[in-house]
Amino acid sequence: MDTELALYTFGTGDNFHLQDYLGVHRVDNASKETYVFRVWAPNAQEVSLIGDFTNWTANPIAMKKHEAGVWEITTELAKEGDLYKYLVKRQGGQLVEKIDPVAFLFEARPGTGAVVKTLPDKKWHDGLWMGRRKRFGFKERPVNIYEVHANSWKKDHEGKPYDMSRLKDELIPYLKKMHYTHVELLPVMAHPLDMSWGYQLMGYFAFESTFGSPEAFQDFVEACHLNNIGVIVDWVPGHFTQNDDALAYYDGTPTFEYQDHHRAHNYGWGALNFDLGKNQVQSFLISSALFWLETYHIDGIRVDAVSNMLYLDYDQGPWTPNKHGGNQNLEGIAFLQRLTQVIKERHPDIMMIAEESSSATPITSPIEEGGLGFDYKWNMGWMNDILRFYAEDPYYRQFDFNLLTFSFIYCFNERYILPFSHDEVVHGKKSMMHKMWGDRYNQFAGLRNLYTYQICHPGKKLLFMGSEFGQFLEWKFNDQLEWHNLEDPFNAKMQLFTADLNRFYKEHNMLWQNDETYGGIDIIDADNKEESVLSFCRINNKGELLLCVFNMTPVERPNFTIGVPVAGIYEEVINTEMESYGGVWKEHNPNTRTVKGNWKDYKRTLSFTLPALGASIWKIKRRQKD
């Protein structure tokens, strides 16, 4: 794209590779290393380039202003690896050192200087993965996501977080061992403070230098793909850090943020909200999303805090109604629709995920039907109901059984991911294991039951790191996981159970092939409140089924009988109370033949022993005629 067209489409909101125009780029020059620098600061009085090559503010290089507020300078002073910033003279005369908004890398914290960085063209070796992704997509494939905060998964002996090279060597084998299909990384874009978990971004094109180089991240993604693991990254287009040297009031006036003070300021998070209706901001953000997808071969983006972009009154502070007097952020809705449309036109095999908690706006419906066009929405309602139910004393569960079953009414209104995420194991909410009812034995029994219910329930799956082995303590962003917990047999057996359950999920397409309609589930009994037992079948496209039965009380039920849709000999393939998983059962239920007899709408029944506080999954070993 030539300079004039790049500048024009930036102003119209149609430049979706903005990083190829703004920022720093090497210029062909046979005699000397030469770079052109460009930055958007439309209302600045002056902008100068400073860095290692100018002795910082000692010899600033004045930049020239183009139309549309872009400042530019070409220089032979800079070289690869130098640090630089822009010295912006704001409206009012204040001089402020500002970051390059489209830098690919920043220096190590606490510094915020951008690095003169040319990304080399990588020769990728993941063509087989990319081809399969394009051919098969993800909707009728297993999706079981391990959510990772790279800063706290593991630390080295000096207490430093693993960089991408170490994560490639240790995290990827762990993902394979645990049979996850995808890894989701909390923001790996540049951020100034770990306390934000990465969610208050500074660099929307910059890989966080704490974790190494951009090339190391490319190698990590490639290695994931070579091991049949997809990579999803969290991305935050709604708000950004209000640090004065970053995007905030870049030229002294609202540049990236809203003009309206209330809409610009996110009081609850201490951040600033992007002006999603501004053409240049749309170019900036959509370019950022495509940059991560294309430069790093990312398989999916989870868009964080979508509610904050949809509703003007979502924040804690005062708010300004829209032009119709309502609370909908009309610009935010239009932006999200455009975002998904642009990405899906270019990369239909990319997974677009919305973290959104309300039900007022359709998230996964097509844009032409008034939806936002996402592939998946986090099912926050399911998560809240289920965690409340499993924390409850089993005696009272009969009175709150609807917490367990209510999701069956709406589970296909949207396409959902069932998340047990980082947000559920912080701020006094307790770890997943510690949320469970009872003593230590029953807590692990409840956790095995819960994870089995998540795997069997329609929807894709997500679990935050540490939860897979039942870590007792809450997640701490500044420390590694409690890996020493695995010295305890309960934790070690819990980890084994999660790995076996994940493998079972991948191997049984009844659990994911027909995941978006009621054709994929036959609810046998959702009304057995007195015994607190739930039963249903999951069904694939060939009509093959898995029978899933959940006992929500610590009472073993011998000769438990339910109706089933198919006659035959059934084999128990999962029993969460096996001794190898931390339970007390030494052997599975024996293979069991159905018996003719009316049970609700069914013409045959199956009887077996239902383990206390356990889940039992059955597969048809041999079909028979009635």
Side-chain angles (χ1 to χ4, degrees), residues 125-142 181-182 222-230 299 348-350:
H125 299 93
D126 61 349
L128 184 60
W129 168 273
M130 299 295 279
R132 283 201 305 262
R133 191 183 82 183
K134 191 171 185 178
R135 182 179 176 189
F136 296 112
F138 47 82
K139 290 183 180 177
E140 291 193 0
R141 302 294 302 162
T181 65
H182 292 74
E222 180 179 67
C224 283
H225 290 172
L226 293 175
N227 286 279
N228 294 316
I229 297 164
D299 304 288
D349 54 339
I350 288 296

Side-chain angles (χ1 to χ4, degrees), residues 7 52 87 124 131 142 145 161 175 183 220 233 274 360 397 406 434 459 463 473 501 507 555-556 595-596 598:
L7 190 62
D52 292 336
L87 185 64
W124 289 86
I145 304 165
L175 293 167
V183 61
F220 172 84
V233 294
F274 278 108
R397 290 177 180 177
F406 179 64
H434 200 190
L463 187 68
L473 294 178
L501 183 67
E507 292 174 350
V555 178
E556 187 174 283
V595 176
K596 284 185 179 182
N598 293 328

Side-chain angles (χ1 to χ4, degrees), residues 270-312:
L272 291 167
N273 294 321
F274 278 108
D275 182 349
L276 299 175
K278 187 179 287 186
N279 290 341
Q280 293 89 343
V281 170
Q282 291 188 15
S283 280
F284 176 81
L285 289 173
I286 295 175
S287 293
S288 168
L290 285 171
F291 172 78
W292 290 93
L293 295 174
E294 294 170 352
T295 304
Y296 295 104
H297 283 203
I298 298 300
D299 304 288
I301 289 179
R302 189 202 75 131
V303 180
D304 182 63
V306 168
S307 294
N308 183 58
M309 292 182 276
L310 295 180
Y311 306 108
L312 299 170

Side-chain angles (χ1 to χ4, degrees), residues 109-121:
R109 292 190 227 127
T112 56
V115 179
V116 175
K117 175 73 175 175
T118 302
L119 289 179
D121 289 332

